[in-house]
């Protein structure tokens, strides 16, 4: 299975499939979509109105990865379930943290 992230010189791009109104805030591991792409599955308890679910996703990932919220940027998927996030930082360290979070579901 492909990984849900791509490493660049100073950041990582992360593909996420978000479920708003998911009852709780959680990361549910990795999933391969029907298009063959891999996503990190996440759920948040808030509704997808006025960007609240996106903010909750960034807060969840920030806490889970131990990375400040200011290091995250939404690249695409503002109103879609499938999103791409940019996480600033050292790629090797970020990938190690992502692997730990993805496998702990």
């Amino acid at each position: 299975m492909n990984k849900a992230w791509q490493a660049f010189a100073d950041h990582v791009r992360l593909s996420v499939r978000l479920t708003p109104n998911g009852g709780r805030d959680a990361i549910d591991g990795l999933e391969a979509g029907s298009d063959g792409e891999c996503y990190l599955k996440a759920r948040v308890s808030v509704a997808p109105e006025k960007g609240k679910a996106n903010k909750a996703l960034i807060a969840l990932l920030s806490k889970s990865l131990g990375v400040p919220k200011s290091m995250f940027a939404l690249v695409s998927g503002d109103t879609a379930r499938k999103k791409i996030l940019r996480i600033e930082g050292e790629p090797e360290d970020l990938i190690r943290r992502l692997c730990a979070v993805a496998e702990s579901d």
Side-chain angles (χ1 to χ4, degrees), residues 11-60:
H11 70 279
V12 170
R13 285 205 175 183
L14 175 65
S15 296
V16 177
R17 183 174 182 278
L18 179 63
T19 303
N21 287 327
R24 60 188 170 96
D25 294 350
I27 294 173
D28 296 328
L30 297 173
E31 173 182 69
S34 60
D35 57 3
E37 296 213 24
C38 188
Y39 300 93
L40 183 71
K41 291 190 328 182
R43 67 178 68 221
V44 293
S45 58
V46 298
E49 39 188 55
K50 298 180 182 173
K52 289 179 184 176
N54 292 336
K55 288 179 184 175
L57 171 64
I58 289 172
L60 171 64

